[in-house]
Amino acid sequence: MTVATTAAVNLVRCAVADFVVGFDLARTVGVERGDRLEPLPDTPDAIGVVRTRRGEWPVYPLGMWLGIDTEGADPRAGHVVLVESAHGKFGLAVDRVFPVARVDRGRLLPPPAAVGPVAAWLIAGVLLAEAGPLVVLDPHRLDPRGGGGTDLSLPPATRPPATPTAASAGDRLLLVARSEFPGGRAVALGVPVGMIAEVFDPGPGSAVPSAPEHLRELVVWRDSPIALVDAAVWVGLPPTPPSPRRAAVVRTGGTPVAIATGGETRTLPADTPSLPTRRRLGLRTPRLLGAFDTTDVTVVVPNWPGLGLAR
């Protein structure tokens, strides 16, 4: 979270696949070459051990926190960040380590609420850089053996489920995340135009640890970090194609979120003839306000305020 501006922090930046994250150097013990990894049998999730004069450090892939599949990668070709938490010594395997950067602690911004409570607990702050947002993690909380004493399997947020209604085209909607049901019927998400702050092309993003399945990454919008989410996944539709990289910033009542729009978008006029759908959608109905059919597309209207609070 945001901290006092009177001190600086030395950030060690590490890459896993195409994503870069940072650690406060003071929260680590050091960095070792990956070729020092030795086998460590009968240790769940650990990919090996590094032995130093200070003892043994079981090593875990940082990619498992970021939702990145590192299977097939050779950890011995990378580096290991050594950490000593309340639960003991451990290491985090990364692909590359970059030179340490010294920054004002006041530049570390809090993550948006849409990242979820687990990710927010793991993130020490977000640094806005020219190459995109840099997520700075607290390495002590990445210890798989205890997570610093916090239960990382938090239950879903408790709130009254939305009652699906017969949504209509009474409001002008922007149709995004277009896909098809089995059989070829087109389906799209409907966003009330009045809820949209801007449609923009996000720059480079940053991976988020232990993020909800619908959250893709953090990007920058108007000099602040914002969650880029796939609302189609959130309601149970197929994932929105990642290209072209466009998003609509939706005011959800709390924190704004950036919705991946996919390649084809169009505005649905308020007077478009429509009927409440009778199709068996098989979607997550507590997350829907409703759905209706036009002549050429089924429009699904999510509970957009609920998306901003999703866990």
Side-chain angles (χ1 to χ4, degrees):
M1 309 300 284
T2 303
V3 291
T5 61
T6 55
V9 57
N10 292 316
L11 293 182
V12 54
R13 294 162 296 155
C14 306
V16 178
D18 295 329
F19 289 103
V20 178
V21 298
F23 299 118
D24 182 347
L25 187 62
R27 300 282 283 173
T28 69
V29 174
V31 178
E32 295 287 345
R33 299 191 314 271
D35 58 14
R36 297 194 61 180
L37 266 174
E38 302 176 20
L40 185 65
D42 303 323
T43 303
D45 298 322
I47 58 174
V49 62
V50 168
R51 293 182 171 87
T52 71
R53 294 179 180 179
R54 296 187 56 174
E56 296 187 349
W57 310 75
V59 177
Y60 305 87
L62 179 59
M64 73 180 185
W65 286 102
L66 303 177
I68 298 173
D69 184 6
T70 57
E71 186 176 357
D74 181 8
R76 291 177 56 83
H79 293 81
V80 177
V81 179
L82 303 182
V83 183
E84 189 161 7
S85 73
H87 295 271
K89 300 178 177 66
F90 71 102
L92 295 167
V94 300
D95 294 338
R96 299 179 301 282
V97 175
F98 301 99
V100 172
R102 186 174 179 84
V103 301
D104 186 339
R105 284 186 182 272
R107 292 180 59 193
L108 296 183
L109 304 175
V115 302
V118 175
W121 185 77
L122 295 172
I123 296 174
V126 181
L127 176 69
L128 302 187
E130 291 184 4
L134 176 70
V135 171
V136 180
L137 303 175
D138 184 340
H140 287 216
R141 294 180 173 178
L142 298 177
D143 190 338
R145 299 165 299 184
T150 292
D151 180 11
L152 296 184
S153 57
L154 297 173
T158 55
R159 67 174 70 89
T163 301
T165 60
S168 71
D171 298 317
R172 197 158 57 101
L173 301 175
L174 180 68
L175 302 188
V176 303
R178 186 182 177 102
S179 60
E180 290 185 354
F181 286 126
R185 172 70 178 181
V187 59
L189 302 182
V191 188
V193 171
M195 296 183 68
I196 299 174
E198 182 180 350
V199 176
F200 76 119
D201 298 325
S206 179
V208 178
S210 297
E213 63 174 347
H214 62 278
L215 196 154
R216 288 187 172 178
E217 55 194 274
L218 285 187
V219 296
V220 177
W221 176 68
R222 296 185 181 178
D223 298 323
S224 296
I226 188 172
L228 176 62
V229 303
D230 190 339
V233 170
W234 187 61
V235 299
L237 288 170
T240 305
S243 180
R245 190 174 169 83
R246 291 186 64 78
V249 177
V250 177
R251 304 181 185 94
T252 60
T255 181
V257 294
I259 308 298
T261 63
E264 182 181 347
T265 63
R266 66 183 174 96
T267 301
L268 190 71
D271 58 355
T272 300
S274 64
L275 291 171
T277 188
R278 295 184 178 181
R279 303 174 189 277
R280 299 179 64 87
L281 303 178
L283 304 180
R284 296 165 176 164
T285 52
R287 298 179 177 180
L288 301 180
L289 293 181
F292 59 88
D293 288 329
T294 70
T295 56
D296 63 334
V297 63
T298 296
V299 180
V300 174
V301 183
N303 174 21
W304 294 112
L307 177 59
L309 301 172
R311 300 174 67 167

